[in-house]
Amino acid sequence: MLVSQEQSVADAIRAIGVTEVTYYRWRKEFGGLKSDQVRRMKELETENQRLRKAIADLTLDKLILQEAARGNF
C-alpha cells in the first residue's frame, strides 16, 4: 500500500486516482474486511441484482397473465 511507503493518505489517494470522499466511503464499507471477503461480498451483490431482476421479470409476467385471464387484454 502506498501509505506504508511513507506517503500521506492524501498523496496515496491522488496516486490511485480517487477522491477523498470515495476513499473514506470505501474505508467505511470495506475497512474491516480482507480482500477475499470483499470479493465474495461483491459476488453476492452481483448475484442479488440478478435475482432481483429475475423476480421483477417473473412478477411482470404473472401480472400480464392475470390480466389476460380476466379478459382485459
Side-chain angles (χ1 to χ4, degrees):
M1 183 167 182
L2 297 173
V3 175
S4 64
Q5 297 173 358
E6 297 184 15
Q7 283 190 351
S8 70
V9 172
D11 290 338
I13 291 169
R14 267 188 248 105
I16 62 172
V18 298
T19 65
E20 285 192 48
V21 173
T22 300
Y23 168 77
Y24 287 110
R25 183 173 38 88
W26 286 348
R27 187 172 139 186
K28 180 180 176 186
E29 188 173 348
F30 304 114
L33 300 177
K34 296 178 181 172
S35 62
D36 60 328
Q37 292 171 318
V38 171
R39 189 175 309 109
R40 179 67 179 143
M41 191 164 104
K42 289 292 186 183
E43 289 171 359
L44 291 173
E45 287 173 352
T46 301
E47 178 71 3
N48 192 21
Q49 284 179 324
R50 188 186 67 76
L51 292 172
R52 284 179 190 265
K53 184 179 181 325
I55 289 170
D57 290 345
L58 290 172
T59 301
L60 182 60
D61 290 346
K62 179 184 172 190
L63 292 172
I64 291 169
L65 289 172
Q66 286 174 341
E67 288 293 314
R70 286 190 213 127
N72 297 330
F73 50 92

